[in-house]
Structures are given as C-alpha cells and as structure tokens.
Amino acid sequence: MGSLQGQNVVVVGGSRGVGRSIVKAALSEGATVLAVARGADALKELSWEASGVKTLV
C-alpha cells in the first residue's frame, strides 16, 4: 500500500478478519480510519489494539 498520510479511510466490517487487517494497514500508512461493524465488543477490542482508530457500531 502507498502512503495514506492525510487520507480518510472507512472500513466496513473492520472489526474482524480481512477488514481488521485493512484497518491496521491503513493506520500504519498514516490514514485516519473509521472502522464500522455490527459488534460493539469486537470494535472496542480493536480500539484498544489499534490506537487512533475511530469506531462506529
């Protein structure tokens, strides 16, 4: 992935699996990330693991 510095990224299904990997990759490239998913618990866990991610249930 190229640099995402200054970009906004929305990941639907961002709490598990491939979506979770995309969230972490985008964060590492400097993007502002919003992870969207149905499971509040999984999103809360993600926000602890990946600081800076914003979440929406």
Side-chain angles (χ1 to χ4, degrees):
M1 209 183 299
S3 176
L4 296 175
Q5 191 68 35
Q7 299 294 312
N8 296 313
V9 176
V10 177
V11 182
V12 177
S15 66
R16 297 184 300 171
V18 173
R20 189 180 198 108
S21 297
I22 292 170
V23 167
K24 290 181 179 182
L27 283 170
S28 72
E29 293 293 328
T32 300
V33 180
L34 173 64
V36 181
R38 294 177 292 165
D41 293 336
L43 283 174
K44 186 180 243 184
E45 183 181 316
L46 175 64
S47 67
W48 289 332
E49 287 179 17
S51 65
V53 67
K54 295 174 176 75
T55 60
L56 177 65
V57 178

